[in-house]
Amino acid sequence: MKFYLTSVATAVALILLVLLPGNGFAKESLRLAYPQKVCYEPFIIAKAKGYFAAEGLTVDIKRVNGGILAAESLMTGATDVAAMGDAPFLIAASRSNKVRLVTRYGGGTKMHRMVSSTALTDIHQLEGARVGIQMGSSTYGAMLAWAQQSGLDTKKIKFVPLSPLDIPQAMLTGQIDAMAGSEPWPTNTETTCGDKVHRLTDFSALGNSFPIVIAATDEVLKERQADIEALLRAVNRAITFMANEQEETVKILSAAIGLPEPQQRQCTYQLDWGIGFTPQDEKSLNMTAEFLEELGKIDRVPHFSAFASAPSVQ
């Protein structure tokens, strides 16, 4: 009987060691959502190189097919932190007080581009054309703004809501006349359709940096700041690796995303990578927010309090 009591006491002690914070045995996982595509490459590299674990972070990765789905995972409480483009963040933050901006980690004026059938040679032919796009995505917000600036009537553009995975086949079979997206979706469409399609345009004329951001739930930002800081350090290490080890970076990303290495290199290094907002990023995010509000896609411009209070990556 004495041996039994001692065993129970030992077992209880071990359970407490596992459950109590700061004991070194177990730690609550940080649920992280991001798509397996070009705009989210620092996360792919951080996982491949073991940077999350190196920063003492246990991450439960939830892969999704687009930034808007990552945003929805935050709103529903399915994840703690998510990476997404500007428009998905703005939509989520305008609809839920639980969604908070952490920081920007990438962007680029040429992030979004359009591929069309060769029958379309001028952007004004998009009026009346069928355009495949992921609704609510950062590309969707960018295209609406670009079309307005270009003098196009968006009501005459027939937006066809599609998963990016289905767009190349839809273009090949003639179900759509053009597509808009960020990489690898345009390149995948070109690869699938060959000489039936061509590059029509990108949205760089807007002068928008299209910041790609990390967002988190309000609860996580308040209660798990150390984990958020560890996440940012891991992402920052990945960005440094991408800058210094380009050959290995391209190989890792090509295998993960599915682009041939030459196209992978071009896609990766046409974007700007770095933790923290620039004045252009702030201006761009506000530009997109005001435009989405004007169109009725969001009912209010969210408060961007994290601009001055993002956790340190040092």
Side-chain angles (χ1 to χ4, degrees):
M1 183 64 69
K2 185 177 180 180
F3 176 76
Y4 174 77
L5 289 173
T6 303
S7 298
V8 170
T10 302
V12 170
L14 287 173
I15 291 171
L16 290 174
L17 281 172
V18 171
L19 295 179
L20 289 173
N23 56 67
F25 279 86
K27 188 176 183 180
E28 184 181 357
S29 295
L30 191 71
R31 298 172 300 165
L32 169 66
Y34 62 85
Q36 191 90 337
K37 55 177 288 191
V38 172
C39 296
Y40 307 92
E41 290 176 344
F43 295 91
I44 298 172
I45 292 294
K47 180 180 183 298
K49 299 299 292 182
Y51 293 152
F52 295 129
E55 293 295 340
L57 193 62
T58 303
V59 177
D60 179 10
I61 294 172
K62 313 287 187 182
R63 291 197 180 92
V64 294
N65 284 333
I68 188 62
L69 298 177
E72 288 174 0
S73 74
L74 279 184
M75 287 190 287
T76 61
T79 56
D80 304 310
V81 186
M84 64 199 72
D86 50 0
F89 164 73
L90 291 164
I91 291 170
S94 71
R95 295 177 181 174
S96 172
N97 290 327
K98 296 180 181 180
V99 177
R100 292 285 184 267
L101 183 63
V102 178
T103 190
R104 171 261 200 205
Y105 69 90
T109 60
K110 296 184 177 182
M111 183 189 310
H112 310 284
R113 65 186 181 95
M114 294 195 71
V115 173
S116 75
S117 71
T118 53
L120 273 63
T121 57
D122 184 271
I123 62 171
H124 292 87
Q125 292 176 288
L126 291 170
E127 292 183 354
R130 299 161 299 170
V131 178
I133 197 165
Q134 187 173 34
M135 302 299 283
S137 65
S138 54
T139 299
Y140 179 61
M143 183 171 179
L144 291 175
W146 168 83
Q148 185 183 72
Q149 179 176 289
S150 300
L152 300 178
D153 186 348
T154 56
K155 294 180 180 178
K156 294 181 180 179
I157 299 173
K158 300 174 184 177
F159 290 107
V160 180
L162 286 172
S163 164
L165 297 173
D166 297 329
I167 285 177
Q169 193 64 26
M171 181 74 80
L172 182 65
T173 56
Q175 298 174 62
I176 55 175
D177 306 302
M179 65 78 63
S182 56
E183 296 294 355
W185 314 131
T187 295
N188 286 347
T189 302
E190 291 166 334
T191 301
T192 299
C193 300
D195 60 7
K196 293 183 178 181
V197 300
H198 68 148
R199 181 188 184 114
L200 184 64
T201 190
D202 60 42
F203 305 145
S204 57
L206 283 170
N208 193 316
S209 64
F210 302 118
I212 323 167
V213 305
I214 300 172
T217 63
D218 185 54
E219 181 181 2
V220 167
L221 274 179
K222 289 177 179 176
E223 299 181 3
R224 302 184 64 180
Q225 184 169 347
D227 285 343
I228 295 295
E229 291 177 352
L231 177 71
L232 296 188
R233 288 195 300 270
V235 172
N236 198 49
R237 288 178 68 171
I239 290 171
T240 301
F241 179 87
M242 291 166 66
N244 295 336
E245 304 292 341
Q246 295 191 12
E247 291 299 323
E248 187 177 352
T249 293
V250 170
K251 289 184 182 300
I252 292 171
L253 295 175
S254 176
I257 296 172
L259 288 173
E261 290 187 13
Q263 287 93 326
Q264 181 63 67
R265 177 181 293 277
Q266 180 180 355
C267 291
T268 298
Y269 293 104
Q270 75 176 357
L271 296 181
D272 302 319
W273 304 106
I275 296 287
F277 280 94
T278 68
Q280 184 186 13
D281 292 323
E282 295 187 36
K283 180 180 178 181
S284 294
L285 201 56
N286 276 293
M287 181 193 312
T288 301
E290 290 168 5
F291 179 73
L292 291 175
E293 185 182 35
E294 178 185 335
L295 289 184
K297 303 300 180 182
I298 61 175
D299 57 13
R300 64 183 179 86
V301 175
H303 179 53
F304 305 141
S305 60
F307 279 147
S309 59
S312 171
V313 298
Q314 300 301 320

